[in-house]
Amino acid sequence: MHVSEVTKIRRKVLAEVSRLALEGTLEENIAGILSTVVSEDGPRYRCCVHKERAVLKDRINMALSQPIGTPLAEAAGKALGGERADLPAVNLLPEACDRCPIDKFLVTDACRNCLAHNCIASCPKKAIMVVQNRAYIDKTICIECGMCKRSCSYGAIIEISRPCERACDLKAIVAGSDRRAVIDYEKCVQCGACKVACPFGAISERSEIVQLIQRIKDGQRVYALLAPAFIGQFGPKVKPEQIIGAIGRLGFHSVKEVALGADAVALAEAGEFTRAVPAEQPFLTTSCCPAFVAMVEKHLPDAGDRVSTTVSPMIAAAKAVKEEDPSAAIVFVGPCVAKKAEARRYPDLVDFVLTFEELAAMFVGAGINVAETEAGDHLTAASRDGIGFARAGGVTQAVLDTVAHLAPGAALKPQRADGLADCLAVLTKMQQGALDANFLEGMACQGGCVGGPGTMADQRLTAKLVELYAGQAPVATAPDNTAARPEIDLHRRKK
């Protein structure tokens, strides 16, 4: 998997913040990160070292979960005190945004200077003229409506979008009047696709590494809930036992697999399907992907009552831990940025959310080499189907197998969608009755959770490794798994 310079810098910042927090010297040495990550002789991606460090300050504020512009020592002090600013999961770093000077519509060499001049006739602002025997767009007048592109018979006018805009299937990010990106949080579902797409790293998620480290150092019992996509994230040869062992070396009290919560969800969702479809509603959608659920709430609210009322595997697993240890602190570790937003709905259950990238930064900060960590004994408590939730089609398979066990006569006709554009299109068709399906698996990320923005490994490799790991599970389906906890209240909280 290609690791860009943007990713390397982001990881360096997180690792340095972790190291200083673990050493107990964060507040006095936080400003030193500006020199250790961006040295006078280091590579330049912007005009000067001052600009590089201005961008770095924004990144550090995000790494401390503090508002952009907060003085670093003050931000470090607040993070060490456990304060977390009320920020969205995904945020723009203003200094890092390059204001992409892209002309959205461009006249190409295919222009023939035809007699029809449809482009000129269609332009509502008279922004197109002929210059040197070719159409020319006056950018000072153009309002980027696209009428010229649509009217050209030769297709000689092309549209070029900014990477962040192109990555957002829900049109939640646009260029502002000063050409800086602007996130419309009324539309944004915080999936993190724009973060991955921006070549300047101008979009980042808030991190709560310092607050988590302080909680561990304070001696609280901190549980890690490990999402099933963890297989392969730290190298294809690294064993699951080594990853779990390395998490223990960070000071976590215990590690639980979210896949066990997925088994409970499969049982609850299958039961919900057999009760409600078709007696109460024509179809049911999954609810395990928080970005998909948010997409329905914000972009297709009429379909809201089609979404399963069952919680996600993260919440199911957290509830199981809380039942056994009510004073536990719970940390979800996975590939998902949107989980940071979902956790805000359940502050009494999930205390922190880490991406795999953030966990890796903690390993680096603590000087832990996962590949050299001794492997202990570990046998997953989840079923094959529960582990399979990590890849596209996995939830469908789990619910299919569970319905077949619970209600053999029920006819489940599944449909899958991964990627928010696909989810939106498929769900719209199902609302219109245009698809012969009564169950929809909706995943915001391509390939499912293994393609999430917080991953560190190629999704195709991870999907294969997850499949191999699932094959080692002691039982195949959720109904076979006596460790699943269907008796816990698994009803999802509304927005």
Side-chain angles (χ1 to χ4, degrees):
M1 186 176 185
H2 172 65
V3 179
S4 69
E5 291 302 312
V6 167
T7 302
K8 290 177 183 175
I9 291 172
R10 186 174 64 241
R11 291 177 182 176
K12 280 183 183 177
V13 170
L14 291 170
E16 278 296 286
V17 166
S18 297
R19 181 179 67 81
L20 294 174
L22 287 164
E23 288 178 356
T25 62
L26 181 70
E27 197 163 3
E28 52 267 44
N29 291 326
I30 187 72
I33 294 177
L34 300 176
S35 301
T36 53
V37 175
V38 177
S39 67
E40 293 286 347
D41 302 323
R44 294 281 177 275
Y45 307 104
R46 303 176 193 275
C47 60
C48 62
V49 69
H50 307 293
K51 179 70 173 177
E52 295 278 10
R53 288 176 176 165
V55 173
L56 204 53
K57 285 181 180 177
D58 288 354
R59 295 195 193 286
I60 295 171
N61 274 316
M62 277 297 102
L64 298 171
S65 200
Q66 301 300 321
I68 299 293
T70 307
L72 293 186
E74 178 184 336
K78 288 183 175 180
L80 289 168
E83 289 188 37
R84 294 179 266 186
D86 185 19
L87 299 169
V90 176
N91 296 270
L92 177 74
L93 308 183
E95 286 291 344
C97 183
D98 195 51
R99 308 185 192 190
C100 296
I102 292 174
D103 294 329
K104 189 167 185 178
F105 293 97
L106 191 68
V107 180
T108 68
D109 289 345
C111 176
R112 304 294 302 276
N113 188 21
C114 63
L115 290 177
H117 286 157
N118 291 329
C119 57
I120 294 176
S122 67
C123 180
K125 293 295 182 181
K126 308 301 179 190
I128 302 185
M129 60 205 78
V130 173
V131 176
Q132 295 181 343
N133 206 35
R134 176 169 157 175
Y136 168 80
I137 301 174
D138 184 342
K139 301 299 179 186
T140 63
I141 303 174
C142 176
I143 58 172
E144 299 184 345
C145 66
M147 292 295 292
C148 55
K149 176 195 170 193
R150 290 192 286 274
S151 67
C152 178
S153 304
Y154 291 100
I157 299 176
I158 61 173
E159 181 177 357
I160 305 173
S161 57
R162 298 165 180 87
C164 56
E165 290 182 34
R166 194 162 57 245
C168 183
D169 290 333
L170 302 179
K171 312 297 181 192
I173 188 165
V174 295
S177 56
D178 62 354
R179 286 187 179 267
R180 275 199 177 103
V182 176
I183 299 173
D184 182 350
Y185 289 106
E186 293 298 314
K187 297 180 179 178
C188 175
V189 297
Q190 309 196 52
C191 66
C194 55
K195 173 201 138 181
V196 177
C198 178
F200 281 89
I203 300 166
S204 183
E205 81 262 27
R206 57 175 161 76
S207 176
E208 297 167 346
I209 284 180
V210 173
Q211 292 84 348
L212 167 60
I213 289 172
Q214 289 303 103
R215 198 73 74 91
I216 293 173
K217 291 172 79 171
D218 287 345
Q220 187 171 6
R221 291 187 301 279
V222 180
Y223 290 71
L225 302 184
L226 203 49
F230 81 100
I231 308 297
Q233 293 297 328
F234 302 91
K237 295 183 179 179
V238 174
K239 299 177 180 176
E241 297 90 331
Q242 291 177 293
I243 298 171
I244 292 170
I247 293 173
R249 290 176 63 191
L250 283 173
F252 282 80
H253 174 71
S254 182
V255 179
K256 305 287 186 183
E257 288 191 60
V258 175
L260 184 58
D263 279 335
V265 167
L267 287 165
E269 219 156 67
E272 188 178 351
F273 174 84
T274 55
R275 284 192 306 274
V277 180
E280 300 172 8
Q281 59 192 69
F283 66 89
L284 182 76
T285 83
T286 55
S287 58
C288 54
C289 172
F292 171 78
V293 174
M295 182 210 76
V296 178
E297 291 171 345
K298 294 185 176 184
H299 296 268
L300 275 177
D302 290 346
D305 57 359
R306 310 292 193 241
V307 179
S308 167
T309 60
T310 304
V311 298
S312 70
M314 172 180 80
I315 300 302
K319 284 191 170 191
V321 172
K322 281 286 188 181
E323 190 172 84
E324 295 177 0
D325 188 352
S327 61
I330 294 179
V331 185
F332 173 83
V333 183
C336 184
V337 172
K339 286 290 182 191
K340 298 189 178 193
E342 183 189 8
R344 288 280 173 96
R345 292 190 184 187
Y346 298 88
D348 54 329
L349 291 174
V350 181
D351 297 87
F352 303 99
V353 171
L354 288 182
T355 62
F356 292 131
E357 186 175 78
E358 289 172 299
L359 179 63
M362 289 182 70
F363 287 147
V364 173
I368 296 172
N369 185 334
V370 184
E372 295 177 354
T373 299
E374 187 176 345
D377 295 328
H378 172 72
L379 177 64
T380 181
S383 73
R384 176 203 64 197
D385 283 355
I387 296 169
F389 264 55
R391 54 182 177 77
V395 185
T396 296
Q397 188 61 55
V399 176
L400 267 171
D401 290 343
T402 306
V403 168
H405 180 89
L406 297 179
L412 189 148
K413 293 183 279 188
Q415 182 73 38
R416 278 173 41 194
D418 55 329
L420 286 170
D422 195 27
C423 288
L424 198 58
V426 171
L427 184 54
T428 300
K429 288 182 179 177
M430 291 182 72
Q431 273 289 84
Q432 296 167 345
L435 284 178
D436 183 22
N438 59 13
F439 182 81
L440 171 63
E441 175 192 300
M443 293 287 186
C445 296
Q446 295 287 343
C449 302
V450 295
T455 57
M456 299 191 300
D458 182 271
Q459 66 164 280
R460 293 162 298 183
L461 175 62
T462 305
K464 185 63 180 174
L465 293 172
V466 166
E467 185 178 339
L468 293 173
Y469 181 60
Q472 300 169 14
V475 294
T477 67
D480 297 330
N481 192 354
T482 56
R485 302 289 300 273
E487 69 273 18
I488 295 174
D489 177 15
L490 294 179
H491 282 92
R492 182 168 54 87
R493 291 175 189 167
K494 299 291 184 181
K495 185 178 180 182

